Structures are given as structure tokens and as C-alpha cells.
């Protein structure tokens, strides 16, 4: 279950980072990261009451997925 969920989170992270960048622009790293994390948690395909628990259990993974997505976007731009 968690492996499929982790793959979904990685894909959501790419979209979340892109949306945060489009919405907030540059120079707002912490705000963009918080926005991206919120986007991911809101779009995780699990039963709504379980989302807070999943977000806590996978908080480090979600954080790392956002960082990976940021680096991925930077490499795509170059």
C-alpha cells in the first residue's frame, strides 16, 4: 500500500511545486514549500479522515519528495 502511495506522492510533488512556483513566484521558498505540502496532502488518494494520519506518518517522505521535485524542475529548466 505505502509503495504505491509513495509513487503517487512523488508525482503529486511535481505538480505541487509547479503550482506553488506559478502562484508565488520566486523569493518565497518556505511559503512555496508549505503550499506544495498542503497540495500533496489534499490530493493524496486516501479516505479523507485518514489524510492527517498519513501526512504525519509520511511527513519526512513528503518533505523529501517536494525537495526532489524542486531539484527536478531546476534541472529541466537548465
Amino acid at each position: 500500500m505505502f509503495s504505491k502511495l509513495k509513487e503517487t506522492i512523488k508525482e503529486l510533488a511535481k505538480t505541487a511545486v509547479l503550482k506553488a512556483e506559478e502562484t508565488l513566484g520566486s523569493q518565497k521558498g518556505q511559503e512555496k514549500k508549505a503550499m506544495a505540502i498542503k497540495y500533496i496532502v489534499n490530493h493524496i488518494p486516501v479516505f479523507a479522515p485518514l489524510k492527517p494520519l498519513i501526512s504525519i506518518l509520511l511527513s519526512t517522505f513528503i518533505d523529501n519528495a517536494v525537495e526532489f521535485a524542486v531539484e527536478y524542475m531546476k534541472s529541466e529548466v537548465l
Side-chain angles (χ1 to χ4, degrees):
M1 176 186 146
F2 278 126
S3 62
K4 182 170 173 51
L5 185 58
K6 286 182 175 182
E7 286 302 314
T8 301
I9 289 170
K10 287 179 186 177
E11 291 303 314
L12 285 170
K14 291 176 186 176
T15 302
V17 167
L18 182 61
K19 287 187 175 292
E21 183 68 31
E22 289 173 349
T23 302
L24 298 176
S26 61
Q27 306 299 322
K28 295 186 179 187
Q30 291 300 330
E31 291 174 42
K32 287 190 288 188
K33 187 172 188 176
M35 183 180 197
I37 290 170
K38 183 177 180 180
Y39 178 92
I40 293 167
V41 171
N42 285 337
H43 289 85
I44 292 174
V46 296
F47 187 53
L50 295 177
K51 288 183 182 196
L53 177 63
I54 296 293
S55 69
I56 291 169
L57 291 173
L58 296 176
S59 64
T60 301
F61 183 81
I62 292 170
D63 189 60
N64 290 338
V66 170
E67 293 297 329
F68 176 80
V70 168
E71 292 304 316
Y72 176 81
M73 281 187 57
K74 285 180 183 176
S75 70
E76 289 295 311
V77 172
L78 299 176

